[in-house]
Amino acid sequence: MKSRATVKAFAKINLMLDINYKRRDNYHDLFMIMQSVGVYDTVTVEKIKGKNIEITCNIGDIPLDERNIAYKAAVQFFKANKIRKTGIHIDIVKRIPHAAGLAGGSADGAAVIVALNQIFETDLSDDELCKIGVKIGADVPFCIKGGTLLAQGIGEVLSNVKPLRQCYIVLAKPDCSVNTGKAYAQFDEFGKTHNPNQLEMLKAVQSRNLNEICARLENVFEQFIEVDNRIQIKEILREHSALGVCMSGSGPTIYGIFDNKECAEKSVENLKEYAKDVILCRPVNRGCKIIDITE
C-alpha cells in the first residue's frame, strides 16, 4: 500500500455540445465531443491518521468540505471498494479557472479517484474507475480517461474517436460565471432553435481534418446563455486567424483553435482587456497523469 500519490488533472473543452432531450430521471441526454487540454490542476492525496477527509487548496473560493467534488470522489471510492473510512488529505493546486466550463472540479474529482486507486492498490481499470466517477458528476468519467472522446448519455457513455491534430488553443474566461443547473433549466424552458450537425462533426473528427472540425464547432448552450464580452472575444480570436471559436461547457469560457502559434500568442495579448483568465495551451491525450507515488 502506498502513502501518497500526485496527479495532474487536465481541463477539457467541448468541440461539440448538444442536448438531445431531458430524460425521465431529470438528467439530460447529451452528445459531446470532448478534448483534454494542457492546463491542469495538481492534486496530491496522502494517507493521514484518523478517519477524516481533509482538503486544502491554493485559492480561497473553493469549498473545503463535503461540497467539494474531490471529497465526494473519495467517499464514493471508499464505498465502491468497501474500504472503511480512512483518513486522507487532499491538496489541490488550481490552475484551471474556476466555474469556467472547463471541468476543473470534475478533473479534481477524477484525480482523487486515480490517486486512491494507486494508494490502495485496488488495480481498477479505467472503465471501473469511470463507474465510480459518474456517481459524482457527468464529466468525471471523461476526466479520468481524457484525450479526444465522444460522450453520450449523461456523459458516462464514452467512445473512442480519432485524436485531434496538434494545434494551439486559446482559452478566454470573462470575469463572470454560469450556474450549470440554471443553464440546463433554461434549455428545459426554452429548448433550442437549431440542432448541431452531429454526424458531420463526427465525420470531420474521424477524418482528423482540423479545418472541417473548426468549421463545425458548436455548443447548444450558446443559443440561450448570455456571456459577458462573448462577441468581443470571438471577434478578437477570429481577427487573429483562429480556425474556429466556441464556448466550452455551460460557459463562460470561449476558446479559439489556431494552427499558427504566433497568431495564437498575439490573440492572448489582445484578449486581456475582455477576459479575466487567458491561457494558451495545446491538446493532450489523457485526462489524468500520475506524476509521483510515494511508498
Side-chain angles (χ1 to χ4, degrees), residues 196-267:
N197 195 324
Q198 300 176 3
L199 180 59
E200 290 303 314
M201 176 55 107
L202 268 179
K203 288 179 180 177
V205 169
Q206 291 300 84
S207 70
R208 301 191 74 200
N209 186 321
L210 189 61
N211 284 295
E212 279 294 315
I213 292 168
C214 289
R216 299 189 180 283
L217 300 175
E218 193 163 354
N219 183 339
V220 75
F221 280 121
E222 291 200 66
Q223 296 180 25
F224 44 83
I225 296 293
E226 292 300 322
V227 170
D228 294 349
N229 299 333
R230 175 169 56 186
I231 293 172
Q232 295 92 330
I233 290 169
K234 285 191 170 187
E235 283 178 351
I236 290 168
L237 289 166
R238 291 189 179 108
E239 285 169 4
H240 288 85
S241 303
L243 301 178
V245 299
C246 194
M247 187 172 78
S248 184
S250 57
T253 300
I254 306 295
Y255 68 86
I257 297 179
F258 296 78
D259 58 3
N260 182 288
K261 185 179 181 181
E262 186 177 347
C263 291
E265 289 174 336
K266 287 180 179 178
S267 77

Side-chain angles (χ1 to χ4, degrees), residues 24 27 92 114 117 128 148 158 167 187 258 265 278 288 290:
R24 289 184 178 179
Y27 287 98
I92 303 170
V114 169
N117 191 41
E128 289 170 319
T148 315
L158 299 173
C167 56
F187 170 80
F258 296 78
E265 289 174 336
V278 186
C288 288
I290 299 163

